[in-house]
Amino acid sequence: MVNPIAAACAGDGLDTAFVPDTVYFLDNPGLGDALSDTKVLTRTLMEQYGVESPTIKTGHIDHETDFQGIATHFREAIAEARDAAANVAVDVTPGRKFMSVIAFNAGMTYDANHIFYFYLESSDYFSRIYPEIPRTAAKLYDFTEIL
């Protein structure tokens, strides 16, 4: 979950770096304790890129197949960011395929500025953090520039 944010902050693969000041996560029973560590790493990352008071918000669903809850999470997060006149990025990299599909659709439907996907050339780099992955082995794509 953190690698796409790190790549966006670094501007890897992008014309312009994207450093969020607010990040929305969606917690579900399948994540266990992983989300807690992710939030700490995300906050640290945002601070390193100059965000003085990062905001991390977390939505919750009771079951990972709560498709309506997932869709609502993305719709409300995008609407809230739009109301704050923020640039909006949706990351479709993490999670199950259906979550990525819902995230992608929400990004397209609600006019996100960026729809990111963090591509790894090899499964050898799964579970490795961004600084440990060779730059030639990873790339952040923005589907709003491709489609």
Side-chain angles (χ1 to χ4, degrees):
M1 289 181 266
V2 177
N3 285 341
I5 299 170
C9 289
D12 283 352
L14 305 175
D15 293 334
T16 305
F18 180 85
V19 180
D21 60 8
T22 303
V23 174
Y24 298 80
F25 288 109
L26 180 59
D27 192 8
N28 69 75
L31 288 179
D33 294 332
L35 188 56
S36 296
D37 295 340
T38 299
K39 288 178 182 180
V40 171
L41 289 170
T42 299
R43 180 176 305 282
T44 300
L45 179 68
M46 293 163 70
E47 289 170 346
Q48 289 177 340
Y49 278 92
V51 178
E52 290 184 24
S53 300
T55 300
I56 297 177
K57 298 184 175 187
T58 306
H60 300 274
I61 54 175
D62 292 330
H63 194 277
E64 69 175 358
T65 58
D66 178 4
F67 304 129
Q68 187 60 51
I70 296 167
T72 298
H73 167 78
F74 282 102
R75 183 180 62 247
E76 290 179 355
I78 292 170
E80 186 174 301
R82 288 275 180 228
D83 289 347
N87 284 325
V88 176
V90 174
D91 180 19
V92 300
T93 312
R96 305 266 230 156
K97 288 179 184 173
F98 58 81
M99 289 186 177
S100 296
V101 168
I102 293 170
F104 183 86
N105 185 57
M108 294 299 287
T109 301
Y110 303 111
D111 202 24
N113 300 92
H114 307 279
I115 299 174
F116 291 138
Y117 178 75
F118 187 69
Y119 176 76
L120 289 175
E121 292 280 342
S122 168
S123 60
D124 292 343
Y125 303 112
F126 286 171
S127 300
R128 306 253 316 256
I129 61 172
Y130 183 73
E132 296 177 344
I133 301 170
R135 296 288 67 85
T136 56
K139 183 173 180 178
L140 185 68
Y141 288 96
D142 184 350
F143 287 124
T144 62
E145 296 175 356
I146 296 169
L147 301 174

